[in-house]
Amino acid sequence: MPKVSVIIPNYNGIKYIEDCLNSLNNQTFDDFDIWVIDNASTDGSDEVVVAKFPLVKFVRLSDNFGFSRAVNEGLKRTRDSEYVILLNADTKAEPEFVEKLYEAISKDDKIFSVSSKMIQMFAPDKYDGAGDLYCCLGWAYARGKDKKIGRYEKECNIFSSCGGAAIYRRALFEEIGYFDELHFAYLEDVDIGYRARIMGYKNKYTPEAIVYHAGSGITGSRYNSFKVRIAARNSWYVIFKNMPTLQIIINLPFILAGFFIKSLFFMFKGYGREYLSGMKRGYLMCTQGKKYPFSKEFLGNYVRIQLELWLNMFRRIVG
């Protein structure tokens, strides 16, 4: 079996999937295989993969089950790989992308994931993201989003890796758990990174692994009704699932302030009703999902995470 398996969830990615797969065919590292997990695409992108990339392992699902389910289907089929790379279909990887991710995660057995440097495909002088941070306002955000290239060029710890272009230590999924399929899409990578942090594992960022990301390549825009509604819903679920009750109480003033600010923002953007609808659905989602069990064994990790949540709030405000 290969050292690395690349898992690409695809849904109607006809505009990008061929370029994505071609970029993987030009990698300097060759000990990897590629899996495309297709969420019942209807635009012919599934046919392109099968016809033009016979070495790619292709799995067609019966319906659009979302990003989390597609990734989990890939994880179940790659149990013998030491590492897995999750890659969005609307990306193009630089030739050293796989090699640099592999080198970064190989440095320390306590590393759960490593996020790549994501550059905006249509504005290549700007970051799309340099790893994800999470703060006590209940916000997850991409470091460097829309900033000029040059500021985030050092390897460092992050809160969680962006599942759009990151490598994960495969065996730890059996310990931490797979992606929560209740998320469907959005914040599922923050959720699993959060769980890894609780258990004492690290998430890192490396600027050496570079990928170009179209961004919203499938949903069509940075803000739309679907994204606003589901992200608002999932925001509540991340808090409920990963924070012990006492930590929720400590952060509650910040969380309420954060959601109030977001509601004003989306009202200004014309998506106020969708955001509030997502908030309501988030409450209902919390009654359906399972809370991550608190363990005194990880008390020190909870304290470190809380300090980081406060620090990341200031980082977000300062920019």
Side-chain angles (χ1 to χ4, degrees):
M1 293 297 295
K3 279 277 187 183
V4 179
S5 288
V6 179
I7 299 172
I8 304 173
N10 177 59
Y11 176 68
N12 289 348
I14 188 67
K15 291 196 294 184
Y16 304 103
I17 190 69
E18 191 170 350
D19 285 343
C20 177
L21 293 172
N22 280 330
S23 72
L24 292 176
N25 284 338
N26 295 320
Q27 293 295 302
T28 56
F29 183 92
D30 59 7
D31 194 6
F32 72 98
D33 61 1
I34 304 170
W35 293 75
V36 171
I37 313 297
D38 188 81
N39 267 316
S41 291
T42 58
D43 66 343
S45 54
D46 52 341
E47 298 170 4
V48 168
V49 175
V50 172
K52 295 188 176 183
F53 300 93
L55 297 181
V56 170
K57 297 174 175 64
F58 181 80
V59 178
R60 181 184 286 106
L61 303 182
S62 61
D63 202 351
N64 180 14
F65 295 109
F67 180 90
S68 298
R69 169 71 179 273
V71 168
N72 286 346
E73 292 293 336
L75 289 173
K76 292 171 186 176
R77 291 166 168 80
T78 55
R79 285 191 171 96
D80 293 328
S81 297
E82 192 171 355
Y83 305 104
V84 293
I85 290 175
L86 305 187
L87 187 63
N88 280 1
D90 60 340
T91 59
K92 287 196 295 185
E94 286 281 286
E96 293 186 331
F97 171 74
V98 174
E99 180 180 359
K100 294 302 181 181
L101 283 180
Y102 173 76
E103 289 177 355
I105 200 169
S106 300
K107 293 177 181 178
D108 185 351
D109 290 343
K110 295 296 287 184
I111 298 175
F112 170 57
S113 71
V114 179
S115 195
S116 65
K117 179 167 74 176
M118 301 180 74
I119 298 173
Q120 295 182 27
M121 189 178 292
F122 305 117
D125 61 332
K126 294 180 181 179
Y127 290 101
D128 189 65
D132 289 343
L133 298 182
Y134 187 66
C135 73
C136 60
L137 296 169
W139 300 352
Y141 59 96
R143 292 172 69 238
K145 182 77 172 181
D146 295 326
K147 302 290 185 182
K148 292 287 186 179
I149 298 293
R151 182 174 176 181
Y152 301 94
E153 296 300 306
K154 292 184 179 180
E155 188 172 298
C156 64
N157 292 322
I158 54 176
F159 191 87
S160 61
S161 293
C162 173
I167 192 168
Y168 295 81
R169 192 174 301 274
R170 176 63 186 77
L172 292 184
F173 283 103
E174 308 304 327
E175 182 179 347
I176 294 168
Y178 284 25
F179 284 83
D180 191 330
E181 295 178 14
L182 279 180
H183 281 280
F184 187 84
Y186 304 116
L187 299 181
E188 73 293 318
D189 46 6
V190 174
D191 169 57
I192 203 163
Y194 202 141
R195 281 184 270 150
R197 294 291 307 281
I198 290 171
M199 299 184 72
Y201 294 106
K202 305 173 187 176
N203 298 304
K204 307 280 287 188
Y205 161 72
T206 178
E208 302 297 322
I210 300 171
V211 68
Y212 296 88
H213 184 214
S216 305
I218 306 304
T219 56
S221 63
R222 187 164 180 177
Y223 302 114
N224 58 59
S225 296
F226 172 76
K227 288 176 64 176
V228 170
R229 188 180 295 112
I230 200 169
R233 183 198 71 171
N234 291 350
S235 294
W236 273 118
Y237 187 44
V238 169
I239 293 167
F240 163 80
K241 180 177 179 180
N242 296 291
M243 288 188 185
T245 303
L246 178 59
Q247 192 175 20
I248 292 177
I249 293 171
I250 291 171
N251 287 300
L252 190 58
F254 300 103
I255 293 169
L256 294 177
F259 283 125
F260 177 71
I261 294 169
K262 285 272 188 172
S263 65
L264 293 179
F265 173 82
F266 283 114
M267 285 179 186
F268 177 78
K269 290 285 186 181
Y271 295 106
R273 181 177 297 178
E274 289 82 358
Y275 184 77
L276 294 176
S277 172
M279 296 279 281
K280 180 180 178 181
R281 296 183 186 194
Y283 170 77
L284 298 174
M285 188 176 182
C286 291
T287 65
Q288 301 169 6
K290 293 182 179 180
K291 197 168 181 67
Y292 192 74
F294 172 79
S295 173
K296 292 181 180 179
E297 177 187 356
F298 303 129
L299 181 59
N301 297 334
Y302 280 107
V303 172
R304 282 186 284 272
I305 288 170
Q306 181 57 49
L307 294 175
E308 189 173 336
L309 295 182
W310 284 329
L311 176 61
N312 288 342
M313 178 182 66
F314 289 106
R315 285 173 171 164
R316 181 58 173 154
I317 294 171
V318 172

